[in-house]
Amino acid sequence: MANVELLAAKPVSQRPMPARNGRPTPPPTLVAALASGPKLVAKHPALGDFLRSRWADAAFMTATGMAEATGLPTTTLLRLLAALGYPNFRSFRDTVRAQLRST
């Protein structure tokens, strides 16, 4: 027969959970890049919309996946990210991942 004490509920730690204020904020470098290149983003509104509303999804995407999500050719996406200050897709994705880890 099983020991009843082993099955009893254990007290839960009373350590408070950190507060999360809704959605995480975009990386400051991305915010600055979007602010410094408004004409570039205005020319490609799908990219601007994606970077403003779904930027965190990019942490788990490939360049091809993000290009499909924005409706842009992959090469155009990479050129636009380079114009925003990211030399390649990996540096953009690493920036997004670092921001997600810090929030």
Side-chain angles (χ1 to χ4, degrees), residues 1 12 18-19 23 29 31 33 43 48 52 54 56 58-59 69 71-73 76-77:
M1 190 157 202
V12 177
R23 297 171 46 172
T29 54
V31 173
K43 188 175 177 183
R52 286 186 191 94
R54 295 183 53 204
L72 295 170
T76 302
L77 172 71

Side-chain angles (χ1 to χ4, degrees), residues 2-3 5 11 19 21 28-30 41 43 46 50 54 61 71 76 82 87 92 95 97 102:
N3 190 343
E5 286 181 24
N21 297 332
T29 54
L30 179 58
V41 176
K43 188 175 177 183
F50 184 89
R54 295 183 53 204
M61 295 180 126
T76 302
F92 169 72
T95 301
R97 286 178 178 175
S102 70

Side-chain angles (χ1 to χ4, degrees), residues 23-27 29-31 33-35 37 40-42 44-59 61 66 69-70 72 77 80-86 89 92-93 96:
R23 297 171 46 172
T25 58
T29 54
L30 179 58
V31 173
L34 289 172
L40 180 71
V41 176
H44 300 283
L47 177 64
D49 292 344
F50 184 89
L51 293 177
R52 286 186 191 94
S53 63
R54 295 183 53 204
W55 65 269
D57 293 344
M61 295 180 126
M66 187 171 160
T70 59
L72 295 170
L77 172 71
L80 292 171
L81 289 176
L84 291 173
Y86 299 98
F89 187 78
F92 169 72
R93 188 173 56 200
V96 171

